[in-house]
Amino acid sequence: MGRSARIIILEASGSIRTGEASATGVYAMEERSPLDRRAFHAELERVRADFHRLRAEASPTDLRRPTDGTRWTNEQLLFHMLFGYMLVRVLLTLLGVFARLPGVVGRTFARLLDAAARPFHIINYLSSAAGSLYYNHHRMGAKMNRTLAALQQRLDRESTDSLSRGMHYPPRWDPYFQDWMTRADLYRYPTQHYDFHRAQLTLGPTHT
């Protein structure tokens, strides 16, 4: 089979299709819905309110309690949920670099990262355990406010064309990472990550 490259097709409706381009044409086409900016802002406001409520209602005992399905405590997992939004700001910048490079560069980089999935998961655990020592229960609320505001402002500056640009990612690093993700996908990612981990919190009297 000849060399292939991922392409982006922007429909007149605003939806995005991605696929593999080869010498014989396009295959493995995927439909991607456009990013609804108003809905995105509303989702972040939902997350902001929910995060502050979780913090406000959590007792010191709650924060020290182990979570359901992870090795983190509730306080550490709350930071990890915040960290997803912090991380995507870095990933958006990284995408801006790789989207301008030959496809083979990003593809090779993603494969190298994917091969290092095992040490990554160890680092991922330790970094959130350590990060919660600084961005603890008292500090993480303000950090969440600043991070969400920065993402909202950044999205407002994005063009339809910039939202359609993408790069390869290591899918073994996170259940919500895909082999190919556009900038629009990245904006969606941290709330998927937040909602997934929220279900693992063990806060409140029902978990005593």
Side-chain angles (χ1 to χ4, degrees):
M1 184 177 294
R3 294 177 61 188
S4 65
R6 178 71 66 165
I7 67 168
I8 298 292
I9 298 176
L10 182 62
E11 303 283 15
S13 64
S15 64
I16 297 168
R17 289 194 297 155
T18 67
E20 296 287 346
S22 70
T24 58
V26 177
Y27 60 93
M29 192 66 70
E30 302 169 7
E31 290 287 346
R32 301 208 178 186
S33 59
L35 181 64
D36 185 328
R37 297 173 194 250
R38 183 176 299 178
F40 176 81
H41 282 287
E43 276 289 278
L44 292 198
E45 290 306 318
R46 172 185 69 82
V47 167
R48 187 198 310 272
D50 182 65
F51 191 74
H52 285 295
R53 183 182 63 78
L54 290 172
R55 288 177 51 255
E57 295 178 358
S59 68
T61 300
D62 284 331
L63 294 171
R64 292 191 298 268
R65 186 179 300 125
T67 52
D68 182 11
T70 85
R71 293 190 293 164
W72 290 308
T73 65
N74 282 316
E75 185 170 35
Q76 291 167 344
L77 184 54
L78 282 168
F79 169 75
H80 184 71
M81 291 157 62
L82 158 63
F83 184 70
Y85 292 94
M86 296 166 61
L87 174 64
V88 84
R89 295 184 64 192
V90 177
L91 294 180
L92 286 166
T93 300
L94 193 65
L95 188 152
V97 174
F98 277 89
R100 290 169 171 79
L101 298 175
V104 66
V105 177
R107 192 159 51 248
T108 301
F109 181 65
R111 286 174 179 170
L112 289 173
L113 294 179
D114 213 39
R118 184 180 294 274
F120 163 76
H121 289 303
I122 296 172
I123 295 170
N124 185 45
Y125 164 72
L126 294 174
S127 63
S128 286
S132 65
L133 296 176
Y134 181 78
Y135 287 113
N136 56 28
H137 173 253
H138 301 289
R139 288 176 170 165
M140 64 177 70
K143 181 62 175 178
M144 178 66 95
N145 286 342
R146 293 193 297 271
T147 303
L148 296 185
L151 283 173
Q152 289 173 316
Q153 292 165 11
R154 184 165 189 162
L155 176 61
D156 288 341
R157 297 193 299 268
E158 299 278 11
S159 66
T160 302
D161 178 66
S162 70
L163 288 172
S164 71
R165 295 174 188 157
M167 65 175 284
H168 290 275
Y169 284 87
R172 292 174 60 204
W173 278 34
D174 189 278
Y176 295 102
F177 275 5
Q178 305 168 48
D179 174 65
W180 176 266
M181 295 175 71
T182 65
R183 195 181 294 266
D185 293 328
L186 282 183
Y187 277 107
R188 295 184 180 103
Y189 161 74
T191 299
Q192 295 172 323
H193 175 266
Y194 179 96
D195 288 338
F196 174 81
H197 284 301
R198 190 193 187 288
Q200 296 176 315
L201 292 169
T202 55
L203 301 171
T206 59
H207 295 283
T208 56

